[in-house]
Amino acid sequence: MDYKAMINNEFIVTKNKQNILSPIDNKVIGTVSALLESDINNAYDVAKTSQKEWEKTQLLKRIEVIEKFKNEIIKNKDKIADIMMAEIAKPLKESLAEVQRTVEIIDFTIEEVRRFYPTAMDAKGWGIENKIGVFERVPVGVVCAISPFNYPFNLALAKIIPALLTGNTVVFKPATQGSLTGSFIGKLWVDAKLPKGIFNVVTGKGSDIGDIIVSNKNINMISFTGSVKVGQRIKSIAKTSNIVLELGGKDAALVLDDKNLDLYVSEIISGSFGFAGQRCTAIKRVLTTNEVADKLVPLLEAKIKAFKHGNPKTNPDIVPVVNEPTRDYIMGLIDNAKTKGASIKTGGTYEGNLIQATLIDNVTKDMRIAWEEPFGPVLPIIRCKDLDEIITIQNESNFGLQSSVFTTDINLAFSVAKQIEVGTVNINSRPQRGPDNFPFLGIKDSGEGVQGIKESLNSMTRYKGIVINWK
Ligand code: NAP
Ligand code: G3P
């Protein structure tokens, strides 16, 4: 596969290319353009120049463009899934599901934008009878969209589509491991003969060109999903303060009783090990009492031991993690826990980038795995003395994305949910972003601002007020 960045509907051939390695065997599976500063500046100039015309384009015409794009996606869904599977080792079924979910997001966003009405207010509450204000939402201008490797299609378009529908133009930077998919999105745009300049794809390594991408003076809004480290860097150097950051997580499963263990186990297993734990919303720690852990751990262990590991083509339970540095980081967390006395109930080994699904019991607060985000197939169990300690450890995390509370006592569930410092608490289910019309947000180091369909339409627009006065 040899795909190119796309600016103003032209593919950009660069002297140097960026190799993309397969997570399965670290062999080169393709190349993308490695852009220079001048290319990136050009992308922003083009986006800025095209924006006013696009903003003036009737909403129904904008919808027509996005519908055509969606049809191109649907026509190419198998190809998109194949590329994704090759470059991030997402199981084929899940890659296809990611494309389908994205099509559904596009449909829902189109419906939502049709009803994106202005707000009208009078001033009677201020004793003023002859004044009415109409506040409509207008595009911010140029949106810089940066996506992570783990949802290279979905998290890209969840930013691009609301931006375009509301009359913004877009410069999109995919994760390097994800930029075959990202560049293919650019190709679909050109193949569908959609308008020039309003959507541009820039590729190259974030460590080389990231600062240039986020600090361009033409950017009016940045929508970023990725790690805490990069998110904080972007915040410190961006010239716009209009930034939505969706960052890492250390979502906990708080298991408060043993009354419905079948449900708890099934949610914890899918929550922890889906896409080999490479989801920001993955369950990355279980907090429970000794008494419950004694029953829960053997059930989890049996399920994990039955997992099939392997090539994403065969839709196994566990696939290789994205690359060698990630594998080494995860193994470092496991080894640290082992050295400090945790019990590895199953897993703890690897071959290539394929890490055996790992369950670690008796994890204590002095171990790195109690606090750090592995982004891999590892589940630590932290045994607590009582509910107070469960809540304290939950809230001691620097992350605050989501968490789950498992109990049959709805009163207890609500009371605990109120005390948990995260964006969203899920009662009796795994943490998750969807359904995609729900607001999706993290607090603390997990992010700033909110994603979601309506929320993205809001964050990519601003109020424009017109106040009418009469005698
Ligand atoms: P990452 O390393 O932070 O990369 C994210 C994106 O930022 C990539 O496109 C990357 O490009 C780019 N980037 C790197 N350095 C940059 C810089 N200096 N300036 C601008 N952009 C830069 O994250 P990842 O490894 O792809 O994804 C895993 C992380 O994302 C995890 O922490 C996970 O929890 C988090 N995540 C959060 C959410 C959420 O919604 N909260 C969703 C998914 C993932 P390169 O690939 O070229 O470096
Ligand atoms: O890691 C991506 C994040 O947005 C979570 O999505 O649907 O896996 O909960 P989901």
Side-chain angles (χ1 to χ4, degrees):
M1 288 180 273
D2 175 30
Y3 290 120
K4 314 252 170 350
M6 185 277 282
I7 300 172
N8 209 20
N9 283 17
E10 282 170 20
F11 298 113
I12 311 298
V13 180
T14 50
K15 197 167 134 223
N16 295 319
K17 288 182 177 180
Q18 176 63 49
N19 285 336
I20 308 298
L21 310 184
S22 161
I24 295 170
D25 54 12
N26 299 314
K27 290 200 175 125
V28 176
I29 50 163
T31 56
V32 295
S33 317
L35 295 190
L36 302 173
E37 182 169 2
S38 52
D39 300 311
I40 290 157
N41 291 340
N42 183 33
Y44 280 110
D45 288 346
V46 163
K48 169 101 181 154
T49 314
S50 320
Q51 197 269 326
K52 283 291 161 223
E53 203 49 43
W54 179 239
E55 177 176 354
K56 279 191 259 160
T57 305
Q58 257 200 7
L59 176 62
L60 290 189
K61 285 274 174 216
R62 279 190 240 141
I63 291 175
E64 210 176 277
V65 167
I66 299 303
E67 289 279 7
K68 272 195 196 152
F69 190 33
K70 183 188 84 180
N71 292 337
E72 199 67 25
I73 289 169
I74 294 169
K75 243 173 35 195
N76 286 277
K77 67 180 190 331
D78 292 320
K79 176 79 182 165
I80 300 165
D82 278 347
I83 298 173
M84 237 192 293
M85 181 180 68
E87 77 173 327
I88 61 161
K90 185 168 275 196
L92 185 56
K93 257 197 219 154
E94 289 176 39
S95 296
L96 273 167
E98 180 170 337
V99 181
Q100 180 55 30
R101 178 179 178 178
T102 309
V103 168
E104 286 161 14
I105 290 182
I106 297 175
D107 281 335
F108 207 106
T109 312
I110 289 174
E111 283 176 34
E112 202 67 44
V113 81
R114 282 183 206 273
R115 291 171 186 78
F116 202 47
Y117 301 127
T119 306
M121 290 179 192
D122 66 21
K124 287 179 184 145
W126 300 89
I128 305 167
E129 291 293 331
N130 57 346
K131 191 184 279 291
I132 194 159
V134 177
F135 294 88
E136 73 171 319
R137 305 287 310 189
V138 296
V140 289
V142 175
V143 171
C144 162
I146 304 181
S147 55
F149 81 84
N150 65 335
Y151 278 89
F153 194 70
N154 179 279
L155 278 173
L157 287 156
K159 300 172 190 304
I160 295 163
I161 297 299
L164 290 174
L165 280 172
T166 44
N168 298 284
T169 53
V170 175
V171 173
F172 161 54
K173 148 87 176 93
T176 294
Q177 199 92 36
S179 54
L180 289 170
T181 309
S183 304
F184 193 72
I185 296 174
K187 180 172 153 31
L188 293 180
W189 183 271
V190 176
D191 288 351
K193 300 190 174 42
L194 299 177
K196 284 183 180 179
I198 63 171
F199 171 54
N200 305 280
V201 183
V202 297
T203 53
K205 268 191 125 33
S207 48
D208 298 337
I209 54 166
D211 284 1
I212 301 163
I213 292 175
V214 299
S215 59
N216 189 284
K217 65 177 183 334
N218 288 327
I219 299 173
N220 300 104
M221 190 262 174
I222 299 176
S223 176
F224 173 80
T225 305
S227 62
V228 176
K229 188 169 152 234
V230 175
Q232 288 176 346
R233 167 86 190 151
I234 292 174
K235 204 176 155 193
S236 71
I237 65 162
K239 296 208 169 62
T240 175
S241 57
N242 190 359
I243 306 178
V244 171
L245 299 172
E246 295 295 353
L247 308 178
K250 187 72 182 171
D251 296 5
L254 283 63
V255 185
L256 306 187
D257 64 41
D258 58 5
K259 303 229 171 74
N260 196 354
L261 281 176
D262 284 351
L263 171 78
Y264 309 164
V265 166
S266 121
E267 290 294 313
I268 293 171
I269 287 289
S270 69
S272 302
F273 295 100
F275 190 30
Q278 299 174 109
R279 295 165 55 243
C280 56
T281 45
I283 293 178
K284 293 171 184 141
R285 50 190 177 136
V286 169
L287 301 171
T288 190
T289 56
N290 254 325
E291 207 185 10
V292 174
D294 285 344
K295 294 181 185 161
L296 180 68
V297 169
L299 297 174
L300 292 171
E301 186 181 338
K303 292 268 182 209
I304 297 167
K305 280 186 166 152
F307 277 164
K308 290 201 176 80
H309 294 67
N311 189 304
K313 265 189 201 155
T314 62
N315 295 308
D317 301 293
I318 302 292
V319 289
V321 296
V322 69
N323 54 32
E324 270 182 357
T326 303
R327 177 203 70 196
D328 292 345
Y329 176 73
I330 298 165
M331 290 310 299
L333 294 179
I334 296 173
D335 290 342
N336 172 270
K338 225 192 292 186
T339 313
K340 291 195 161 163
S343 350
I344 310 290
K345 304 300 290 183
T346 182
T349 56
Y350 68 92
E351 208 179 315
N353 295 333
L354 188 60
I355 297 178
Q356 289 287 313
T358 302
L359 178 66
I360 315 181
D361 197 1
N362 297 306
V363 167
T364 48
K365 286 173 64 177
D366 58 331
M367 299 173 190
R368 289 173 55 205
I369 192 76
W371 308 109
E372 293 179 39
E373 179 188 36
F375 231 60
V378 184
L379 180 60
I381 309 287
I382 304 178
R383 292 173 178 242
C384 306
K385 68 173 188 299
D386 54 22
L387 179 60
D388 279 352
E389 193 179 37
I390 290 177
I391 294 171
T392 303
I393 297 179
Q394 144 66 45
N395 287 344
E396 272 172 357
S397 172
N398 61 311
F399 292 107
L401 189 58
Q402 297 201 352
S403 275
S404 295
V405 172
F406 291 103
T407 174
T408 53
D409 180 345
I410 193 68
N411 295 323
L412 177 66
F414 254 84
S415 148
V416 172
K418 293 271 188 197
Q419 298 173 62
I420 294 182
E421 295 163 5
V422 294
T424 302
V425 179
N426 302 271
I427 296 173
N428 291 329
S429 92
R430 65 184 195 157
Q432 56 200 302
R433 175 167 40 122
D436 292 306
N437 61 323
F438 282 14
F440 181 61
L441 70 153
I443 60 167
K444 299 184 177 176
D445 282 352
S446 292
E448 289 184 26
V450 191
Q451 275 209 157
I453 291 177
K454 203 167 199 163
E455 299 296 341
S456 296
L457 294 173
N458 274 329
S459 67
M460 291 170 175
T461 53
R462 65 172 174 83
Y463 275 124
K464 169 73 183 280
I466 299 180
V467 179
I468 307 156
N469 300 279
W470 67 94
K471 291 268 181 233

